[in-house]
Amino acid sequence: MGLSSEILALFEPTSPHRTTALSTTFLLGSAVVYLALFHPYQQKVKVPFVGVRNTSFLSLFLGGFKFVINARTIINEGYQKYGDRPFQISTYSGNRLVLSPKHVEELRNSPDSKLSFSAASVEFLKADLVGMSDIIGQDHPPHTKTVRRELTRDLAKFIDPIVDETRFAFSQELPEAADWTPVALNSAVLRIVARISGRVFVGDSLCRNEEWLNTSVKFTEDLFTNAVVSTMVPGFMRSFLAAWVFPYASRVARHRKIAHKYLAPIYAKLLAQQASGSEEPKEDVFSWMLGHASTKPELRTAEKMADFQLVLSMAAIHTTTVTVVTVMYDLAARPEYIEGLREEMITMIEEDGGVLKKSTLAKMVKLDSFMKESARINCSYLSFMRKVIVPMTLADGTHMPTGTMVAAPVRAMYDDPELLENPEVFDGYRWSKLRQKENQQNSHQFVSTSSSSLLFGHGNHACPGRFFAANEIQIMLVSILLRYDFKYQEGETRPGNWNLAEMVMQDKNKLLLFKKRANPPKFAFL
């Protein structure tokens, strides 16, 4: 997401913030020593820790940084050692109670009044430091309701706009040359996804506005970077440092003002239409959001609606970008899959008269399978993030006090040979083969969720936008594979992943070589 470069750039010799960063580091080191000596950590959950020697503050603090470097090993160790029993880990964003699939199944539909996704998000993103606790802390915000209902219900009619914006975005962000041309893949895909998502979220005029595009992308990067940097300091110092030392909270505030500047006129127009009874048919997410905000009058302001739109962009743009980039990295590393995927694409499109429709995408089971296998191999280590609101006791007797942060080890589950055959092998068609079994046609899809398949969470808060995201990703991959050849530069291979703030990150500066195919299919949408 660009977070790594933001954080590391602070300490570059040429950085204008270097003096501030070094001074801050000294203050933080002093604070850590003070807390380690005079503020012992009180363990809340009576289950064993993995990855730390003891439960003193200093041990947990150092264990959090150890987790950054060695997260997968630590989580796998706990998963293999404790099986169906929960265990704890120390991350530098706090301690986590790690649950097994049986616990996920037990808790998946717990009410927000007991086990809250939004409260976990507020704590994880440090939303209070940017004045957005009331937005991110909404249990059923307008944008989530809109995505779950109208967008998913009417997804078929958005395929043509997505295709149209994909074609335009490619013309702006990818080379048209017949010779091999280096492309900074992450940067190009990020802007393409921002354009496509914006087309559906805010309409065809605003989605091509450069200031809006920049804000919809940078809001997430600055929000996450502020959370990561703030997490590294003791709580009593965070508000001061976020407001007066770190630049990210002020950047978030600036993005919010820009979003309000562009969305306030649209909001005013919608309200005027409603008052006059001349409301036009709603064709974008922002318009639908206003209807869902009507049940909570305090949310029906231009500022809050703009904030909800930014949070929706946060949920949609970067996760989709990471998925597309990792699929492209894996295809470039395994080019033997490319022709088979192209053949499936061409066959299904020709069956539908040369037109790309939602039903066409649904028939591309090999593409869907490769997407899921790539996501399995490159997924974040933890999912199913929740915060305990009232004390709870699991069926196995584990007591979870108020404030406990829980998660599930999604990658460890995918590495478990008892849950998945030969998990160490990358098999791009693994999931399409499983779907061929009796009564499994609608299982094992990219968007499928279960207690042991948590790419999109599970239960009440399974990602509501996963159906839109899947179609968006498929359309982008169809367009790339049918229009371009691509490969790594000479002597280069697939870049590795690294962990940051409990997420898997990719090298944002990695280049791939692209060139237009000599004889692409003659489909009109290309």
Side-chain angles (χ1 to χ4, degrees):
M1 295 185 196
L3 308 183
S4 56
S5 58
E6 288 278 5
I7 296 168
L8 295 177
L10 289 174
F11 298 92
E12 289 294 326
T14 57
S15 171
H17 303 293
R18 185 170 183 262
T19 300
T20 300
L22 293 175
S23 301
T24 302
T25 301
F26 174 77
L27 291 173
L28 302 188
S30 301
V32 168
V33 172
Y34 170 82
L35 289 172
L37 293 175
F38 302 110
H39 189 75
Y41 171 79
Q42 298 298 318
Q43 186 176 350
K44 292 183 176 181
V45 186
K46 303 301 181 181
V47 301
F49 270 88
V50 175
V52 297
R53 293 183 178 180
N54 55 61
T55 56
S56 68
F57 177 87
L58 183 59
S59 179
L60 292 171
F61 180 85
L62 296 176
F65 282 92
K66 179 181 177 182
F67 179 80
V68 175
I69 300 170
N70 215 19
R72 185 180 176 188
T73 299
I74 292 171
I75 295 172
N76 280 352
E77 177 189 342
Y79 183 81
Q80 293 166 10
K81 182 176 181 179
Y82 293 104
D84 282 344
R85 291 175 293 160
F87 60 92
Q88 289 190 84
I89 56 174
S90 179
T91 80
Y92 73 72
S93 60
N95 299 332
R96 299 287 181 267
L97 178 66
V98 182
L99 307 174
S100 72
K102 77 170 186 179
H103 299 118
V104 172
E105 192 63 30
E106 179 182 348
L107 298 173
R108 66 187 183 94
N109 290 325
S110 295
D112 296 306
S113 58
K114 294 184 177 181
L115 195 66
S116 176
F117 169 76
S118 58
S121 299
V122 167
E123 181 167 325
F124 180 72
L125 294 171
K126 301 295 180 284
D128 58 312
L129 299 180
V130 295
M132 295 191 71
S133 295
D134 60 332
I135 299 297
I136 295 173
Q138 289 286 324
D139 284 331
H140 300 286
H143 62 277
T144 299
K145 292 180 180 178
T146 297
V147 171
R148 180 173 285 116
R149 299 176 190 176
E150 287 87 354
L151 180 58
T152 300
R153 179 194 66 202
D154 294 337
L155 191 52
K157 77 176 186 181
F158 283 104
I159 298 300
D160 284 346
I162 293 173
V163 169
D164 181 63
E165 200 60 35
T166 300
R167 182 169 54 243
F168 175 79
F170 276 28
S171 72
Q172 302 297 303
E173 311 296 342
L174 292 178
E176 297 295 310
D179 297 325
W180 290 109
T181 305
V183 173
L185 186 64
N186 189 84
S187 298
V189 172
L190 185 59
R191 285 179 56 83
I192 291 169
V193 172
R195 291 178 184 275
I196 297 170
S197 300
R199 176 71 174 265
V200 175
F201 295 166
V202 295
D204 56 1
S205 58
L206 190 52
C207 77
R208 297 182 183 182
N209 179 290
E210 281 296 323
E211 189 174 34
W212 170 260
L213 279 174
N214 182 69
T215 281
S216 64
V217 168
K218 294 297 184 180
F219 167 78
T220 302
E221 296 180 0
D222 290 326
L223 180 67
F224 269 78
T225 305
N226 186 68
V228 171
V229 173
S230 298
T231 297
M232 297 180 182
V233 307
F236 72 92
M237 299 178 65
R238 286 175 186 162
S239 296
F240 170 78
L241 292 174
W244 299 102
V245 179
F246 303 145
Y248 309 107
S250 62
R251 292 182 190 175
V252 169
R254 185 164 63 249
H255 297 317
R256 295 172 71 187
K257 289 181 179 178
I258 292 171
H260 177 251
K261 177 180 73 173
Y262 285 110
L263 294 176
I266 300 174
Y267 177 81
K269 179 181 177 181
L270 291 170
L271 288 183
Q273 290 174 350
Q274 287 183 356
S276 65
S278 61
E279 191 172 2
E280 298 176 359
K282 298 180 177 67
E283 296 183 352
D284 60 73
V285 168
F286 187 72
S287 300
W288 283 326
M289 280 170 52
L290 185 59
H292 286 297
S294 61
T295 58
K296 295 183 178 180
E298 69 275 14
L299 302 181
R300 283 173 64 91
T301 68
E303 291 85 357
K304 291 193 183 299
M305 295 302 291
D307 283 343
F308 284 127
Q309 182 58 61
L310 283 175
V311 173
L312 177 59
S313 296
M314 174 185 71
I317 294 174
H318 288 269
T319 52
T320 299
T321 297
V322 168
T323 303
V324 174
V325 169
T326 53
V327 169
M328 292 296 296
Y329 284 169
D330 287 331
L331 281 171
R334 299 172 175 84
E336 64 272 16
Y337 283 98
I338 292 176
E339 285 309 314
L341 293 175
R342 283 174 174 160
E343 289 175 7
E344 178 185 65
M345 293 170 183
I346 293 170
T347 299
M348 299 310 169
I349 295 169
E350 287 178 341
E351 284 185 4
D352 284 347
V355 178
L356 198 57
K357 300 184 291 187
K358 188 174 185 297
S359 57
T360 317
L361 299 172
K363 294 186 290 186
M364 296 182 185
V365 295
K366 290 182 178 179
L367 177 61
D368 185 272
S369 177
F370 194 96
M371 288 162 50
K372 181 159 186 168
E373 183 71 350
S374 177
R376 176 184 80 87
I377 293 293
N378 300 291
C379 66
S380 296
Y381 302 128
L382 298 175
S383 182
F384 198 74
M385 297 287 191
R386 302 288 190 272
K387 184 175 183 178
V388 177
I389 304 302
V390 297
M392 301 177 67
T393 300
L394 297 171
D396 64 5
T398 301
H399 181 67
M400 303 189 300
T402 297
T404 303
M405 294 283 282
V406 306
V410 54
R411 180 58 196 271
M413 294 177 186
Y414 279 134
D415 286 340
D416 187 348
E418 293 187 8
L419 299 177
L420 196 68
E421 186 177 355
N422 299 323
E424 73 284 357
V425 176
F426 185 105
D427 182 355
Y429 297 151
R430 174 192 302 275
W431 307 98
S432 56
K433 289 182 286 190
L434 289 173
R435 290 173 66 181
Q436 293 174 6
K437 296 182 178 181
E438 186 176 359
N439 299 321
Q440 297 295 307
Q441 177 59 34
N442 295 321
S443 302
H444 308 295
Q445 299 178 66
F446 180 66
V447 296
S448 300
T449 73
S450 72
S451 58
S452 59
S453 182
L454 299 170
L455 292 176
F456 293 101
H458 189 44
N460 285 343
H461 290 286
C463 175
R466 65 191 186 277
F467 304 98
F468 166 72
N471 281 176
E472 183 182 19
I473 293 165
Q474 285 175 307
I475 290 170
M476 289 180 62
L477 292 173
V478 167
S479 300
I480 290 173
L481 265 67
L482 296 187
R483 290 182 63 179
Y484 296 96
D485 289 317
F486 53 91
K487 64 179 182 179
Y488 289 111
Q489 298 185 97
E490 188 68 30
E492 293 192 358
T493 58
R494 194 199 188 289
N497 301 326
W498 62 287
N499 180 66
L500 176 65
E502 300 158 44
M503 299 171 293
V504 170
M505 309 295 289
Q506 297 284 352
D507 181 358
K508 65 172 292 187
N509 299 311
K510 186 69 175 181
L511 300 179
L512 282 187
L513 298 178
F514 274 71
K515 72 173 181 179
K516 289 291 292 291
R517 296 184 68 200
N519 296 296
K522 304 300 182 183
F523 297 130
F525 68 87
L526 293 176

